[in-house]
Amino acid sequence: MAKNKFHDGPGPSQRQLRVGELIRRTLSEVLARGDIHDPDLNRLSITVGEVRTSPDLKIATAYVLPLGGKGQEEVLKLLARNKGELRRAIGKKTGLKFTPDLRFQLDRTFDQMDDTRRMLNQSHVRQDLDTEE
């Protein structure tokens, strides 16, 4: 098997990043416009923080969070229930040769940012930061 000479390393390739961002924008647009025929899903505001694709672009994992952070498990169930219709809508709008299988996970980056902010505001950490300057 030939090795990709343009990409070496553990991170995603430029192609994966480009396709992931295209799917993220399209998925956000579809959810915001209410193009899905599920009234339960259309009544929710859902943020799509990131979409990561597998190296072969067959699987796309969307990291989502409902606005306000309430009803996270319900959102995952609704998205999984409407996965086929979402995939069709993305396929039509993106023009990709193959539309990847969609998977949904909760976006935990906001929680991590809050934890980091909380940690940096601790008195002993602030003291260490002040002594370095």
Side-chain angles (χ1 to χ4, degrees):
M1 180 177 221
K3 188 168 170 83
N4 183 352
K5 59 184 166 188
F6 299 110
H7 175 72
D8 54 341
S13 67
Q14 284 297 314
R15 185 171 179 220
Q16 285 175 272
L17 294 172
R18 202 169 50 247
V19 171
E21 181 59 20
L22 177 65
I23 292 170
R24 186 195 69 77
R25 274 191 261 129
T26 306
L27 183 60
S28 293
E29 181 184 312
V30 166
L31 292 171
R33 294 169 98 198
D35 291 347
I36 305 303
H37 296 99
D38 186 345
D40 294 332
L41 187 60
N42 288 335
R43 70 178 165 78
L44 298 171
S45 292
I46 300 170
T47 301
V48 183
E50 180 183 6
V51 174
R52 293 183 189 165
T53 59
S54 62
D56 61 359
L57 303 178
K58 300 278 187 195
I59 299 170
T61 304
Y63 293 89
V64 297
L65 191 66
L67 196 62
K70 293 180 175 45
Q72 296 177 355
E73 294 304 319
E74 178 190 5
V75 165
L76 289 178
K77 287 177 187 173
L78 288 170
L79 289 170
R81 185 170 77 192
N82 294 288
K83 179 169 70 167
E85 192 173 354
L86 287 166
R87 186 176 180 201
R88 263 190 305 282
I90 289 170
K92 276 185 193 175
K93 292 180 186 286
T94 59
L96 293 171
K97 188 173 182 179
F98 298 105
T99 307
D101 184 34
L102 296 174
R103 300 193 180 160
F104 301 98
Q105 289 188 6
L106 291 175
D107 190 357
R108 301 278 184 210
T109 55
F110 295 110
D111 296 337
Q112 292 170 348
M113 287 182 352
D114 288 341
D115 291 344
T116 303
R117 199 172 293 123
R118 206 172 303 121
M119 183 184 72
L120 290 174
N121 284 330
Q122 291 176 356
S123 61
H124 66 279
V125 173
R126 284 180 140 190
Q127 186 178 11
D128 287 345
L129 291 174
D130 289 339
T131 59
E132 288 180 8
E133 291 177 8

